[in-house]
């Protein structure tokens, strides 16, 4: 009788201790008193759901706690490689090449994920086989599930839960953010179709078109520099050649805010050329070059083509990469040149060993100069580099070259990865200095506007931020640079410009070039004051109404079957 009584007391105590341990583990990963009640409600709901199947509270609570730790762990890994936490809308990306990308770029991290997954599977099996407790009747299990569901639903409607959408870039609340996304309709809406998340019901009247400020249209060259950021964002010094590249003394420059971190360059390309945030499309942002072909009928190259420009893409990837050829054709790029199309003496195989900017930038400027020879037609050239792509534990700058720059970087921040990044950046800056002089001398008097920008930060900046322990800034991982230079355009005002969102950079380029703006671009220009440096994060109602106008006019096609670009 005494043994039976002791067992009757011990089993509930074990259950309570297991529950307390699970809540403590969740609390440690959350680091937020405000969001802890929702996280606990989610933990108990998962335990009640598992209880229906396993039949005893001990295993249900253990498995629920293990699942919470696993979700928090996966979200933490994603956060430290993309600066965004895990949500349910990220799950389709696992089947869209993301896993393969991480395996190729970060094999050690993926090995750790694989080991963690195997450990979770083993521990779950051990719990199911060897940790059974006192059985609970099916009627009581159903009752507990209903009560847990009511509590979870109630917690889901709180203000704290709604605010989790705004913490995607914060290093906390990993479990609660994922669980909140499960009950967020906007996350599920992204699975089956292309949908805008920031769109109003009422349209915004478009502004009147704005005339050109110059009778002569300049060439426009836009160069996307892969994974390039300004080290000064983190308080790190740069040398004069690098400074002149990032902040040209006779040009305009500033911080550029982008939607991505660590990868997904095409999302920055999309934003610059369409004037829209890729983040507005949720999980479809990753698929925009596939889903979006034929759906966007207002774009920078399309408008320039209507003004008589010849539009060209020169990409450092091969023609078969993603859906680049199809998408760029659909938004108005007439000539699309990929690295396997560049003529000799350019050697694509030799180039792909390092993706050297010195080699690639020389090839694109050479192609541009040959194209404009004896042809006054203005040109739009969009070039995509790949030199500074991570990981940075590979030495792509040959030994004996830019060694003083590498040493300078090591003295500033003693990390071999950063030193390699800086050495590559120094090569880019040095190459551009020579090519800019060549461009200026080849066609004296021909006006040219040149825009440089970084598409996203590389993963190594997470390590820089952790070691330097700078002030908390959730947007810092999404900051790169932009620089605008001009040849034979007198009205460009040099100096530091405003911080920009990449969705505005194409419009600002048109303004600096003195080119006419159609009603769509004129309206987008008017949103600069409303949205400031953050387009997607802005709560501007005018922006949301502008998106409604674009959809109503058929300039953004959200229908299941996209019509052909016109």
């Amino acid at each position: 009788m005494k043994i039976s009584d002791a067992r009757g007391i011990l089993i509930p105590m074990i259950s309570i201790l297991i529950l307390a341990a699970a809540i403590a583990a969740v609390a440690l990963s959350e680091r937020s008193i405000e969001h802890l009640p929702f996280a606990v409600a989610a933990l108990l709901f998962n335990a009640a759901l598992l209880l229906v199947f396993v039949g005893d509270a001990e295993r249900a609570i253990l498995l629920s706690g293990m699942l919470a730790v696993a979700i928090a762990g996966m979200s933490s890994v994603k956060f430290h490689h993309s600066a965004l936490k895990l949500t349910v809308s990220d799950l389709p990306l696992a089947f869209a090449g993301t896993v393969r990308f991480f395996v190729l770029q970060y094999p050690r991290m993926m090995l750790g994920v694989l080991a963690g997954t195997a450990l979770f599977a083993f521990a779950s099996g051990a719990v199911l086989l060897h940790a059974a407790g006192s059985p609970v009747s099916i009627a009581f299990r159903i009752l507990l599930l209903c009560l847990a569901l009511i509590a979870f639903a109630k917690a889901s409607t709180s203000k704290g839960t709604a605010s989790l959408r705004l913490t995607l870039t914060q290093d906390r609340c990993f479990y609660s953010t994922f669980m909140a996304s499960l009950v967020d309709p906007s996350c599920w809406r992204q699975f089956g179709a292309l949908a805008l998340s920031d769109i109003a019901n009422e349209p915004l009247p478009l502004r009147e078109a704005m005339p050109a400020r110059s009778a002569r249209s300049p060439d426009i060259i836009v160069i996307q520099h892969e994974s390039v950021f300004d080290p000064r964002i983190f308080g790190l010094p740069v040398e004069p050649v690098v400074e002149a590249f990032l902040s040209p003394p006779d040009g305009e420059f500033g911080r550029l805010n982008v939607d991505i971190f660590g990868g997904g360059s095409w999302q920055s390309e999309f934003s610059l050329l369409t004037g829209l945030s890729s983040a507005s499309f949720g999980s479809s942002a990753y698929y925009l070059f596939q889903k979006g072909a034929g759906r966007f009928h207002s774009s920078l190259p399309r408008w320039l083509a209507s003004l008589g420009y010849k539009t060209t893409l020169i990409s450092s990837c091969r023609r078969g990469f993603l859906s680049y050829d199809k998408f760029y054709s659909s938004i108005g790029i007439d000539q699309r040149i990929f690295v396997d199309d560049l003529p000799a003496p350019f050697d694509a195989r030799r180039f792909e060993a390092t993706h050297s900017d010195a080699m690639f930038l020389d090839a694109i400027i050479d192609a541009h100069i040959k194209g404009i020879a004896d042809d006054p037609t203005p040109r739009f050239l969009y070039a995509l580099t790949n030199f500074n792509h991570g990981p940075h534990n590979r030495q792509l700058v040959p030994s004996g070259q830019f060694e003083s720059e590498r040493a300078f970087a090591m003295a500033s921040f003693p990390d071999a990865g950063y030193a390699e990044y800086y050495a590559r950046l120094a090569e880019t800056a040095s190459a551009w200095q020579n090519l800019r002089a060549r461009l200026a001398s080849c066609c004296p008097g021909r006006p040219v506007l040149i825009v440089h920008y970084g598409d996203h930060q590389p993963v190594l900046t997470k390590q820089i931020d952790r070691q330097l322990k700078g002030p908390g800034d959730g947007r810092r991982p999404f900051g790169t640079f932009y620089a605008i230079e001009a040849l034979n355009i007198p009205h460009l005002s040099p100096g530091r410009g405003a911080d920009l969102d990449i969705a505005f950079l194409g419009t600002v380029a048109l303004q600096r070039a003195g080119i006419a703006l159609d009603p769509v671009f004129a309206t987008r220009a008017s949103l600069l004051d409303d949205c400031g440096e953050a387009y997607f994060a802005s709560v501007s109602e005018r922006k949301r109404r502008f998106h409604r106008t674009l959809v109503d006019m058929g300039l953004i096609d959200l229908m299941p079957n996209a019509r052909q670009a016109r």
Side-chain angles (χ1 to χ4, degrees):
M1 184 68 179
K2 291 182 179 179
I3 295 175
S4 177
D5 290 344
R7 182 177 175 83
I9 295 172
L10 186 60
I11 290 176
M13 287 183 62
I14 291 174
S15 298
I16 292 171
L17 287 173
I18 292 172
L19 179 60
I23 292 174
V26 169
L28 286 173
S29 72
E30 290 296 294
R31 301 198 302 277
S32 170
I33 298 297
E34 179 187 7
H35 301 109
L36 185 58
F38 173 75
V40 172
L43 178 76
L44 294 177
F45 171 72
N46 284 335
L49 185 61
L50 288 164
L51 177 61
V52 172
F53 298 98
V54 299
D56 59 273
E58 290 81 2
R59 287 188 296 178
I61 296 171
L62 265 176
L63 290 171
S64 179
M66 290 167 56
L67 180 63
V69 171
I71 290 172
M74 289 298 295
S75 185
S76 178
V77 169
K78 180 177 183 291
F79 178 82
H80 285 96
H81 287 81
S82 71
L84 293 170
K85 290 179 287 190
L86 184 69
T87 66
V88 68
S89 58
D90 291 316
L91 299 182
L93 305 186
F95 305 100
T98 305
V99 171
R100 181 176 180 273
F101 168 80
F102 277 121
V103 169
L104 292 174
Q105 296 295 325
Y106 312 107
R108 291 182 182 177
M109 179 271 291
M110 288 303 294
L111 186 61
V113 170
L114 183 62
T117 303
L119 179 62
F120 176 77
F122 176 79
S124 299
V127 168
L128 288 171
L129 293 173
H130 303 294
S134 299
V136 178
S137 68
I138 187 64
F140 194 56
R141 285 184 248 168
I142 298 298
L143 175 62
L144 286 177
L145 178 61
C146 292
L147 291 174
L149 178 60
I150 292 170
F152 181 58
K154 180 68 175 176
S156 299
T157 60
S158 68
K159 290 183 179 179
T161 305
S163 69
L164 283 168
R165 299 178 187 176
L166 306 177
T167 70
L168 284 175
T169 62
Q170 297 177 16
D171 190 11
R172 60 192 180 96
C173 302
F174 292 109
Y175 176 63
S176 57
T177 297
F178 180 82
M179 294 306 296
S181 73
L182 286 173
V183 294
D184 185 351
S186 65
C187 289
W188 291 97
R189 188 175 60 198
Q190 305 296 341
F191 276 93
L194 203 61
L196 271 167
S197 62
D198 49 351
I199 184 170
N201 293 324
E202 295 297 322
L204 179 71
L206 294 180
R207 294 286 184 95
E208 292 185 4
M210 300 179 65
R213 297 200 313 272
S214 174
R216 188 175 182 188
S217 298
D219 293 333
I220 299 177
I221 300 174
V222 180
I223 303 176
Q224 174 176 283
H225 295 277
E226 171 66 43
S227 299
V228 170
F229 68 97
D230 188 339
R232 293 171 295 184
I233 291 177
F234 299 94
L236 296 172
V238 296
E239 296 168 293
V241 172
V242 173
E243 181 179 19
F245 173 71
L246 299 171
S247 310
D250 55 353
E252 181 181 346
F253 54 88
R255 171 171 167 156
L256 185 69
N257 293 316
V258 298
D259 296 330
I260 52 175
F261 174 87
S265 303
W266 50 92
Q267 292 178 232
S268 287
E269 298 162 34
F270 170 86
S271 294
L272 180 132
L273 296 173
T274 65
L276 300 167
S277 169
S278 65
S280 296
F281 298 90
S283 63
S284 293
Y286 192 90
Y287 300 92
L288 279 171
F289 272 34
Q290 292 140 312
K291 285 187 175 182
R295 293 183 180 273
F296 299 95
H297 306 290
S298 172
S299 68
L300 178 62
R302 187 173 299 284
W303 171 240
L304 290 172
S306 73
L307 297 176
Y309 275 74
K310 291 182 178 179
T311 57
T312 301
L313 166 77
I314 302 182
S315 172
S316 59
C317 64
R318 289 182 176 262
R319 184 172 293 273
F321 183 68
L322 291 179
S323 298
Y324 267 47
D325 194 31
K326 182 179 179 181
F327 180 79
Y328 276 108
S329 174
S330 76
I331 62 168
I333 298 284
D334 294 325
Q335 185 181 27
R336 299 168 302 283
I337 302 172
F338 295 85
V339 72
D340 40 342
D341 300 323
L342 288 169
F346 185 85
D347 186 334
R349 291 184 180 276
R350 177 168 163 261
F351 165 73
E352 288 174 333
T354 63
H355 289 94
S356 165
D357 269 357
M359 188 185 303
F360 184 66
L361 292 174
D362 181 71
I364 65 174
I365 295 302
D366 186 61
H368 176 71
I369 290 174
K370 289 179 179 177
I372 63 175
D374 302 320
D375 185 356
T377 306
R379 302 297 177 115
F380 172 69
L381 170 61
Y382 189 38
L384 308 175
T385 74
N386 202 41
F387 187 36
N388 231 318
H389 199 297
H392 289 85
N393 56 8
R394 301 174 300 168
Q395 183 173 335
L396 300 186
V397 178
S399 298
Q401 297 183 24
F402 298 96
E403 293 295 345
S404 64
E405 288 81 0
R406 190 184 297 274
F408 175 84
M410 283 294 287
S412 305
F413 184 77
D415 178 82
Y418 175 68
E420 173 64 18
Y421 165 81
Y422 189 85
R424 296 184 202 176
L425 177 58
E427 177 180 316
T428 299
S430 178
W432 176 250
Q433 190 176 58
N434 296 329
L435 291 168
R436 186 184 187 279
R438 180 182 166 199
L439 191 61
S441 64
C442 78
C443 301
R446 184 169 179 132
V448 185
L449 187 86
I450 305 150
V451 180
H452 304 268
Y453 74 94
D455 57 346
H456 57 75
Q457 291 184 20
V459 171
L460 70 88
T461 59
K462 276 290 183 181
Q463 181 178 347
I464 295 173
D465 209 16
R466 282 195 300 270
Q467 293 191 27
L468 295 180
K469 297 179 180 178
D473 179 3
R475 290 299 306 171
R476 183 157 54 189
F478 300 93
T480 64
F481 86 103
Y482 75 90
I484 302 175
E485 302 180 80
L487 300 174
N488 307 307
I489 301 178
H491 57 257
L492 182 71
S493 300
R496 184 169 188 87
D499 290 355
L500 286 179
D501 189 280
I502 192 168
F504 287 121
L505 186 56
T507 301
V508 169
L510 292 178
Q511 291 178 316
R512 300 301 182 264
I515 292 173
L517 303 182
D518 71 357
V520 171
F521 277 100
T523 305
R524 184 176 291 112
S526 75
L527 292 173
L528 272 164
D529 292 335
D530 289 56
C531 302
E533 63 193 44
Y535 189 79
F536 176 70
S538 167
V539 296
S540 168
E541 183 63 18
R542 290 186 69 242
K543 176 199 72 173
R544 294 166 56 85
R545 293 178 63 195
F546 176 58
H547 291 169
R548 172 56 62 190
T549 299
L550 295 178
V551 172
D552 289 352
M553 293 178 64
L555 297 177
I556 300 176
D557 191 346
L558 301 178
M559 300 300 290
N561 296 312
R563 58 192 170 87
Q564 292 299 311
R566 60 189 182 192

